[in-house]
Structure formats: structure tokens, C-alpha cells
Amino acid sequence: MLFRSRAVQRIGLGKTGAKQQDDAKRDRGEGGNANIGPHSACTVTGIREGRSRSRHVNSPISRHPDGSIRSVLVQFNASVLVGSPLSGFALIGSGVSRNAPDIAKTDITWSRPAAIALPTSPDYLARTLIVGPTVTADQLPTGFFQQWQNDFETVGQTRWDSDPLDNMAFHQYDRTLVWFAGWVRTGNPTFWERGLDAGINYITMQEAGFYSSQPHFSEVQGAELYYLLTGGERGRTTVGGIAEFMGIADYRATLDRNPFRDWMDSRIQSYVLMSSIVAARLEISGVDWAQQARQDLGDILTTQSPDGSMRWFSWNNEHSVFMGSLLIHALIKYYTWFEPDPRIPPFVKSILDFVHPTLWLTDSWQYTSADTTSTPDLNQLNAVGYAWYGWLSGDQTYTDIARTAFQWGTTDAFLGYKQFNQNYRGAFQTAYYILNP
């Protein structure tokens, strides 16, 4: 298997014999199911030097539903100058021969590595599905789709300059995922570095609080990506800690409204379900997380009203549009990443049909089924479900709804620190489902 077009580049200063780390994502179009261990066949070649290197190679613990691995960690030694990246390629597979010896794994104890080897092709990165279905920046049509990407880069710079990473509030809606998804779309290593910094700050805060944050700060996908894209076990441990705390704190036991808790809502349901899904994907020990995800889903599916809404005491028995959308995000990932439970599409459709067109205003859906406030800042959160269901069912009506909401969100949304995350945590999926019918 060839990991295409990559560049080894320094993050730190000066020239040293730095340990390089290549977190190459598996191109799912090549190769078969495999276990990659520390002695798997691997050749890492520097094109400039034309020779093989000693290396360590392993696969972080996680698989796609078909059993194929999701990422590969390769470590090797090279001298790299700041501003002078080394081009090269890696070959991994049973048919690869090499003449350089193995080296031991270097434990991930740093906040930032001295240097990294990253794929530079967005087309390749998108095919790995490391962040889920996504388009590349070059695949976005001109107009509002390109404007959405342009705003990510320009407003993203402002957010990077302004937002402190050691404040949990700035991680709500998963800033780590936002940056890593931006890297996948563009191949720009700056966004990978930002994802790295966001991820380690988030993980450090979760560790300090013993993973006991409020559910809406439980961003397990970003922690998962940190693990898959660096090999750093702290990301995997954080996912396990959050998933366990969801049970300790009584969130998981009350998903089905029994016993009643006045604080339960669809947002909490979404974060509890996501914690079980990701813990299962990372094979976290101590609990059968796959079975727990199935139980979580079953409990959640009992809470829908006959009209398709999700009504909660904490919302005056009204339907919160964006919280229903967050639940839909988790259900889509369950269906796509874990197992395609046939109960999910009709459940999602019922929510979508309750919301639209009844709750649509001029440029957005209203905030709740009673509060008619316009919410274009939330369009990109709310459009994901329509795009997915239109793609899954082939019903263009839902795709058109998503396209309209995406357009208005691009032109009318305010991109403050929280809104920036809301507009870029899932909209890359919306674009994919709209543009790949």
C-alpha cells in the first residue's frame, strides 16, 4: 500500500535528528483487512536521499465496520530544517521488502512533536474517511460553498489568534474536530497543527477534571482524532473516561426518561450515545461498549413524541431544533460507523418532517417549536440531517432543504467562537451528501 504525497517538516526550531511521526491514514481503496504490528513490512523512503529508513510502524486501536484499520502510526529518524520539508513516501504491506532494521516505539509524551510527516493530498485524505464523509476544498463549487470554505480560513485565523485553548468554553462543539476536518479538506498542515494544539489542551482539561465535565463539553470525536492522528494514548484514555462518567453521573441511566430527570434533553442523549459509539470503536476495556451503544440507542428511540418531535421538561415541553439536530448527528454516526440499524432513518425523518417546513422562517429555522427567533448561526448544525436523509433515501426534497439552509447559513451566520465551531463541525458532511447524490 502506498501512502501518497507527503512531506516531513519541522514544527519546532533549528535542526536536530528529530523523531518523525507519520500518522498516515489508510486509503480504504487499497489493500485488505490487516493487523499492522511493530514488525509489519514497511519501507519509508526519502526521495531526496533515495534510501530506506529504520522505522517503527503500528496501527492505533480502531477499525472501520468492514474490519479495515483506520490509521497507521509510523515513526522514523531524519534531520529536517525549518522551512525545508523532505518529500518521501511510505510503502506498507505484506509484499514490501526492506533492508533497514526496526526501531522501538517512542512514547507520545510531548504536547507538540519536533517534526511530522503528513499526507499532502486532500483527495487522499478525504478517501480515508478519518473524519467521516467530506469533500475537499477544491471540490466545492463557486458561490456559497466556496464562501463557506473561505470563511473557515479567514475567520479561522481570527479565532486562532483570539480564542484561548485552555478555556473549555472554546471547545464546545469540538474545536479539535473542526481543525482536523479543515486539514483533511485542504491538506494544509497548519490546520493539523491547530487540531493538535486544540486536542492536547482539551484532553489536559478533561484529565484535570477527571472527565467529569458537563455533557455538552464531552467532545469524544476530537479526542479520538487526537489518538488516531498522533498515536497519543491520552486521547483514547479521555474517550474511555468520558464514556464511563456518562454512566457514573446518571446521564446514561435516564436516557429513556425513566426515571424522570428535569435536565434530560436531546443534546445530552446525543453526547451519551456518541461516547458509547467512540468507546466501542476504540475498543475501550471494562465495558462492552458495543452492547452499551445498542442499549443507548434503544432507550433514545423510546422518547420521540407521536408527531416526531423531541419534547423535554427543560424546554417547556417544546422541541429544540438544534438539540434535535445534535441527536441526529449522533444517530447518523451510529448508522454509518457502527451498524445500520433500520429504526434510525424513519426516526430521523420524523424529526425532520416535524421541523420543516412548519418551523422555517426566512433564512433559518426558529429556535424551538414555540420560540420564533431566527437562528442562521445554527443552520449548519441543522442542515446535516436533511442532507444525509436526502442522500440515503434519494429524495431530492430533503437535499434541497439542506442546500437552502447551507446557503443562508453561509451568508447570515455570525461566526463568534462558539458559532465558528457550530458552523464547521458537521457542515463538511452536508456538503458531501449534497454534492455526491
Side-chain angles (χ1 to χ4, degrees):
M1 176 169 57
L2 171 64
F3 294 123
R4 301 181 182 83
S5 59
R6 66 191 59 261
V8 183
Q9 53 203 329
R10 285 197 63 82
I11 296 180
L13 299 175
K15 179 180 180 180
T16 63
K19 183 79 68 174
Q20 309 304 312
Q21 187 155 292
D22 179 359
D23 308 293
K25 273 54 58 192
R26 180 182 185 276
D27 184 336
R28 301 193 67 215
E30 302 178 27
N33 300 346
N35 286 303
I36 293 185
H39 302 292
S40 298
C42 173
T43 297
V44 180
T45 300
I47 294 175
R48 184 174 300 175
E49 298 170 346
R51 64 182 178 84
S52 298
R53 295 182 180 277
S54 299
R55 86 294 172 272
H56 171 86
V57 59
N58 214 329
S59 57
I61 301 171
S62 188
R63 293 181 177 272
H64 289 286
D66 65 2
S68 57
I69 59 175
R70 296 179 62 206
S71 69
V72 177
L73 170 69
V74 180
Q75 294 176 323
F76 58 96
N77 293 304
S79 294
V80 190
L81 284 170
V82 175
S84 300
L86 300 178
S87 297
F89 60 90
L91 292 168
I92 296 179
S94 58
V96 176
S97 61
R98 58 187 176 84
N99 52 26
D102 296 335
I103 59 175
K105 180 182 178 181
T106 297
D107 291 334
I108 312 302
T109 59
W110 36 256
S111 294
R112 304 189 97 212
I116 52 174
L118 294 172
T120 55
S121 167
D123 293 330
Y124 164 74
L125 288 169
R127 285 198 304 274
T128 67
L129 299 178
I130 194 69
V131 297
T134 185
V135 293
T136 68
D138 289 342
Q139 292 169 343
L140 292 169
T142 58
F144 61 87
F145 281 111
Q146 273 294 337
Q147 184 61 50
W148 172 80
Q149 176 62 28
N150 293 342
D151 289 345
F152 170 76
E153 298 182 17
T154 56
V155 178
Q157 184 64 53
T158 300
R159 301 267 56 93
W160 177 254
D161 294 339
S162 303
D163 299 344
L165 293 178
D166 58 355
N167 185 326
M168 186 66 82
F170 293 90
H171 293 270
Q172 189 177 3
Y173 300 102
D174 212 336
R175 184 67 64 87
T176 305
L177 167 61
V178 166
W179 289 130
F180 280 138
W183 168 63
V184 170
R185 288 196 305 279
T186 64
N188 185 341
T190 295
F191 299 136
W192 187 92
E193 292 180 41
R194 291 178 182 178
L196 173 73
D197 288 349
I200 196 61
N201 274 273
Y202 175 77
I203 288 165
T204 299
M205 287 185 288
Q206 284 286 4
E207 291 170 340
F210 302 100
Y211 314 109
S212 61
S213 64
Q214 292 293 316
H216 53 280
F217 292 128
S218 301
E219 307 299 356
V220 291
Q221 193 176 353
E224 175 194 39
L225 286 170
Y226 175 87
Y227 167 65
L228 294 176
L229 297 178
T230 70
E233 288 287 341
R234 291 170 66 189
R236 185 167 179 262
T237 301
T238 295
V239 171
I242 290 172
E244 291 177 8
F245 182 75
M246 291 294 187
I248 295 171
D250 204 31
Y251 297 126
R252 180 168 282 115
T254 57
L255 288 174
D256 60 354
R257 306 180 195 257
N258 184 22
F260 170 79
R261 295 290 185 268
D262 60 8
W263 38 256
M264 179 55 71
D265 55 38
S266 296
R267 179 168 59 180
I268 294 175
Q269 288 182 322
S270 73
Y271 281 102
V272 172
L273 181 59
M274 278 299 301
S275 73
S276 297
I277 295 169
V278 177
R281 294 184 98 195
L282 297 186
E283 300 177 27
I284 303 295
S285 62
V287 173
D288 183 344
W289 290 109
Q291 185 56 36
Q292 186 62 65
R294 297 183 184 103
Q295 181 177 329
D296 292 349
L297 175 67
D299 288 346
I300 289 168
L301 294 181
T302 67
T303 61
Q304 190 171 44
S305 299
D307 62 2
S309 64
M310 304 294 292
R311 299 178 182 273
W312 299 99
F313 179 87
S314 58
W315 287 84
N316 296 318
N317 291 315
E318 298 292 345
H319 177 91
S320 166
V321 177
F322 87 92
M323 287 197 178
S325 295
L326 288 173
L327 177 57
I328 288 174
H329 289 202
L331 293 171
I332 291 171
K333 288 168 182 175
Y334 185 106
Y335 191 91
T336 305
W337 293 352
F338 183 60
E339 56 191 21
D341 191 298
R343 297 173 294 176
I344 290 176
F347 184 94
V348 169
K349 182 179 185 297
S350 293
I351 296 177
L352 300 176
D353 290 348
F354 172 80
V355 170
H356 195 93
T358 305
L359 305 185
W360 180 258
L361 303 171
T362 302
D363 63 349
S364 67
W365 291 281
Q366 57 193 58
Y367 191 56
T368 75
S369 50
D371 184 340
T372 59
T373 302
S374 178
T375 60
D377 300 347
L378 296 171
N379 275 20
Q380 304 298 10
L381 276 182
N382 296 330
V384 175
Y386 290 94
W388 176 76
Y389 189 78
W391 175 84
L392 182 72
S393 67
D395 190 333
Q396 186 66 33
T397 302
Y398 294 88
T399 305
D400 291 343
I401 294 169
R403 185 188 299 270
T404 298
F406 193 110
Q407 180 174 3
W408 280 111
T410 300
T411 59
D412 287 14
F414 166 73
L415 298 179
Y417 75 87
K418 182 168 71 172
Q419 294 84 359
F420 178 73
N421 296 352
Q422 291 169 334
N423 277 263
Y424 291 97
R425 79 188 294 268
F428 58 87
Q429 298 173 68
T430 302
Y432 175 87
Y433 292 128
I434 291 174
L435 299 173
N436 294 275

